[in-house]
Amino acid sequence: MINTIVFDIGNVLAPFTWRETYADLFDEETAAKVGEATVLYSEMWAELDKGSLPDEAIIEEFKKKNPEVADKIENAVWEIYRRMNPYSYASDWLRTLREQGYKIYILSNYGRTGFNLSKPRFDFLKYAHGGVISYQVEINKPDPRIYMILCQKYGISPNEAIFIDDNADNIEAAANLGFNTILHKDEETSIKKFAELGVEIK
């Protein structure tokens, strides 16, 4: 029987709109160059989420990736997080589920600075019973260890929990540990998937 719901944040509870942010800040060519040096530099972007290196060191690596736009990179990276706002349904979902008696947790890849810049607008967090953010443990999804840290910290049985995320690799890792899973694509589809698992979001 399902008693726990575990939510990712980016593109599940709040859109990660880096392309839109860069398009707003720069012309098309510059936006592409900054994107390639930052978010699309997947190895270093993962390090930003992991939190095992200082932000300054990662920003320097981004700048080295494309020195031509080095002066634009730091502000652009943090501006993504300054502009992250929850989806209109996010707080309603978590509040409704909590009122129904479900335990609500967050499991998200997020660096310390980015999370702190976004968090003041994340009203949905007040409905969560807890969570693990990647920078706190220096482990990113889909590493199985971060899921087990969450489970051990809060006494979660994966077979009694639903994990919802927009990333297929993260979903596969959770499923391999016994979680019921929902690959989030949009609000309507996920509501149907919840219902199939016996959870009604009224």
Side-chain angles (χ1 to χ4, degrees):
M1 183 175 181
I2 302 297
N3 57 34
T4 300
I5 319 291
V6 181
F7 286 91
D8 176 36
I9 293 179
N11 294 328
V12 175
L13 296 175
F16 182 66
T17 53
W18 70 270
R19 294 183 188 277
E20 291 84 347
T21 298
Y22 287 1
D24 189 44
L25 293 175
F26 309 117
D27 61 71
E28 185 175 351
E29 181 180 356
T30 303
K33 290 178 180 178
V34 175
E36 289 169 3
T38 58
V39 184
L40 297 178
Y41 187 2
S42 56
E43 178 183 350
M44 289 311 302
W45 195 263
E47 289 296 330
L48 188 66
D49 283 341
K50 189 182 293 184
S52 56
L53 295 173
D55 289 343
E56 294 79 8
I58 296 170
I59 293 294
E60 283 307 309
E61 290 301 315
F62 290 156
K63 291 178 179 180
K64 290 177 186 177
K65 185 73 171 176
N66 192 333
E68 185 181 347
V69 292
D71 62 325
K72 298 174 172 60
I73 282 174
E74 184 167 5
N75 179 66
V77 167
W78 303 133
E79 188 65 17
I80 297 169
Y81 299 103
R82 294 186 190 102
R83 298 189 184 201
M84 280 189 75
N85 290 290
Y87 288 115
S88 59
Y89 60 78
S91 287
D92 288 342
W93 275 17
L94 271 65
R95 183 185 66 253
T96 298
L97 291 167
R98 181 166 177 147
E99 288 173 350
Q100 292 181 54
Y102 294 102
K103 293 292 185 180
I104 308 298
Y105 298 102
I106 303 295
L107 185 64
S108 190
N109 288 351
Y110 231 119
R112 180 190 302 274
T113 300
F115 188 66
N116 287 335
L117 287 170
S118 302
K119 186 168 62 173
R121 295 178 301 285
F122 288 173
D123 289 346
F124 57 80
L125 290 174
K126 65 186 176 187
Y127 300 113
H129 293 90
V132 174
I133 308 299
S134 58
Y135 81 84
Q136 297 169 339
V137 294
E138 298 185 358
I139 302 170
N140 288 347
K141 296 175 296 181
D143 188 320
R145 292 176 297 167
I146 193 170
Y147 301 85
M148 297 313 299
I149 288 170
L150 179 78
C151 291
Q152 291 163 6
K153 184 175 182 179
Y154 298 106
I156 298 169
S157 298
N159 65 318
E160 296 177 341
I162 296 172
F163 174 66
I164 178 169
D165 196 295
D166 69 306
N167 182 290
D169 291 339
N170 297 344
I171 288 291
E172 181 180 3
N176 288 341
L177 293 170
F179 280 90
N180 301 277
T181 59
I182 296 174
L183 179 60
H184 183 74
K185 297 184 181 300
D186 56 65
E187 178 184 3
E188 183 179 353
T189 303
S190 288
I191 288 174
K192 290 178 180 177
K193 294 294 185 181
F194 272 118
E196 290 172 6
L197 292 168
V199 176
E200 298 291 338
I201 302 181
K202 299 176 182 178

